Each structure stands twice: as structure tokens, then as C-alpha cells.
Amino acid sequence: MAPDLSLLGIGYITGKALLFSGGGRVLGHLVVPRVLRGAGKLETRGVLLTLAVSFCFLLSWAAARVGLAPIVGAFAAGLVLDEVHYRPAAPGKRRTFVSYYSR
């Protein structure tokens, strides 16, 4: 049985998706640069990839918990991680992760 399609229902889902995406971006911009700065101190291969995939799964799970499709969470994670860049350090120095907002 398909759910009823109404303008109110579409507006409710759209509003929920916009609030989730906006909240995810704000929270991500506060948390992700700090986490990546700490991860930059690790001398382990694959840390950036592991953190990016974990963040994507976390936001996908959160989106499913609030009643949205998990792809909405993955999209919000992509918006946050798109603005985070890796800056390799000179030899002998630690590697760091840099965001547009921390410059």
C-alpha cells in the first residue's frame, strides 16, 4: 500500500531534509576540522579515508533515525567533507588537515 501523496506531506519531508542538511553542515563545520587536525598527527595510512567513510555512515544512520533516506545523510556528509582539504607537510613535519574556515 502506497502512502498518500499530499502537498503537506511533501512540505514536511522537504523541511525535515533541509533542517537535517543544514544542521549536519553546521555541526560538521564545528566538529570535522578538529577531528581531522587530531588525525593529522597520526602517522598511519588511510586515516583520512577511514574518517570520511565513518562520518558518511554516521550521518546516514542519523538521517535514517529521523525518518529520512540514508542518502540524505550521505549527501550532507559530502557537503561537509567537500570543503576539507589535506595539506601535506614538509619532510620532517607533521601532516595537517585544513578547512576553508580555519585559514
Side-chain angles (χ1 to χ4, degrees):
M1 178 177 275
D4 293 332
L5 185 62
S6 69
L7 194 56
L8 184 62
I10 292 171
Y12 177 70
I13 292 171
T14 302
K16 206 164 40 166
L18 289 173
L19 282 173
F20 182 85
S21 295
R25 286 192 73 174
V26 168
L27 186 63
H29 286 299
L30 296 174
V31 174
V32 170
R34 290 186 178 117
V35 170
L36 293 181
R37 237 180 276 124
K41 296 176 184 173
L42 300 174
E43 295 295 326
T44 307
R45 292 182 60 197
V47 173
L48 179 62
L49 177 64
T50 302
L51 287 174
V53 170
S54 297
F55 186 65
C56 182
F57 283 145
L58 177 70
L59 285 187
S60 294
W61 173 80
R65 294 289 293 172
V66 299
L68 295 169
I71 192 69
V72 174
F75 180 74
L79 290 176
V80 171
L81 294 174
D82 178 49
E83 297 178 2
V84 176
H85 297 280
Y86 173 73
R87 178 179 16 165
K93 292 187 177 181
R94 293 193 183 269
R95 293 175 284 166
T96 59
F97 296 95
V98 179
S99 172
Y100 282 123
Y101 300 105
S102 65
R103 290 183 191 178

